[in-house]
Amino acid sequence: MGFDNNFGPRPVPSQGECEAYAQGALPSGNMALLRAIQEKFLRTFAEELAIRLEMPATAQLAAAEQLSSRDFLESGDDGGCLLTFESAPVRGQVFLSLSAGFVACLLRVLLGAPATSGNPRPVTEIELHILREIFELLSRELSAAWQSAGISFCWTPTGAPEPAGGPGTLLVFECRMDLDGGPQTFRVAVPALLARLAALYSAPAVIEEDRASVRETILGALRRANVTVEAVLT
């Protein structure tokens, strides 16, 4: 599955806008963390892809939206790739959809073939094998970006579970990559529950202050206190 490569320039939504489209699904702090994770993933993936393909590559967030799992999985077309990454230790699935144009561009560069025009077609098994290294690169960079949350991802080319098409909420980030002289797109879809858990695990631990130190601070404050006492003798 893939997505249409035709899109206009759209600014990355601000933190407030993200919170609005999520309709209260995530606090703004969680959304800020998730956007930071996606930006880190895009940056490192573009750097590693540029090394692998021996050509300049840059990537940035283009847009964000909230979709149900079913709507996301049904919004693709032929010629692209839909990848499913299983998370651990928290069980969940992150989807990554490469557009038909992006897949064609990767294959053209990897095979050293000239650019061709034509209608998008399903990717063959041989082409999927050629793209395997790119898929594994995506898995490594996803895990590296989510490391601070204690979550890793695994892409399995065979025997992987079918993507769940239920009514769950996905936070979908549309990404733009400039590669081989042209813009390409792909989308990353993260379950809202996984985003909440990432924010929870990424929260800094509260360091309990030493009890003796706290007691000494209280006693020091009391020693400096002025107390007025009245005595009545009978």
Side-chain angles (χ1 to χ4, degrees):
M1 297 178 66
F3 294 90
D4 192 355
N5 191 35
N6 297 323
F7 68 100
R10 284 173 288 178
V12 178
S14 65
Q15 178 174 312
E17 290 173 337
C18 286
E19 189 174 7
Y21 82 69
Q23 300 177 356
L26 285 176
S28 58
N30 293 17
M31 278 304 308
L33 172 65
L34 191 58
R35 290 180 65 236
I37 290 175
Q38 296 305 315
E39 289 171 350
K40 178 180 179 180
F41 160 67
L42 287 176
R43 182 175 62 255
T44 56
F45 172 61
E47 292 172 354
E48 292 299 322
L49 186 64
I51 295 174
R52 172 64 183 84
L53 301 181
E54 298 182 348
M55 64 173 53
T58 59
Q60 62 182 354
L61 288 179
E65 62 180 331
Q66 177 180 272
L67 292 175
S68 70
S69 299
R70 191 177 306 279
D71 289 341
F72 174 78
L73 296 176
E74 293 178 352
S75 62
D77 54 12
D78 292 334
C81 287
L82 176 66
L83 308 176
T84 303
F85 298 88
E86 298 292 324
S87 63
V90 180
R91 294 187 60 184
Q93 294 178 327
V94 166
F95 304 117
L96 199 150
S97 177
L98 306 181
S99 69
F102 194 15
V103 172
C105 178
L106 290 173
L107 288 172
R108 183 172 67 251
V109 175
L110 291 172
L111 295 175
T116 59
S117 60
N119 296 326
R121 58 171 178 77
V123 183
T124 65
E125 290 294 331
I126 294 178
E127 290 171 334
L128 288 175
H129 182 75
I130 294 173
L131 292 170
R132 178 190 180 104
E133 185 178 351
I134 304 300
F135 300 160
E136 292 175 345
L137 175 61
L138 287 166
S139 179
R140 290 197 301 270
E141 296 308 323
L142 269 177
S143 295
W146 286 72
Q147 184 177 11
S148 62
I151 299 175
S152 62
F153 295 93
C154 177
W155 171 74
T156 305
T158 58
E162 289 295 325
T169 300
L170 295 176
L171 302 173
V172 183
F173 294 88
E174 184 174 351
C175 310
R176 169 177 173 149
M177 172 165 281
D178 292 320
L179 182 67
D180 195 24
Q184 309 298 337
T185 60
F186 62 95
R187 300 206 291 176
V188 181
V190 181
L193 177 59
L194 194 61
R196 289 178 182 272
L197 291 175
L200 179 63
Y201 293 155
S202 299
V206 178
I207 302 177
E208 184 178 358
E209 195 170 356
D210 181 67
R211 292 184 178 182
S213 175
V214 173
R215 184 167 56 251
E216 186 62 29
T217 300
I218 294 174
L219 291 177
L222 291 176
R223 290 191 186 101
R224 295 190 298 270
N226 295 324
V227 180
T228 301
V229 178
E230 293 184 1
V232 178
L233 301 179
T234 59

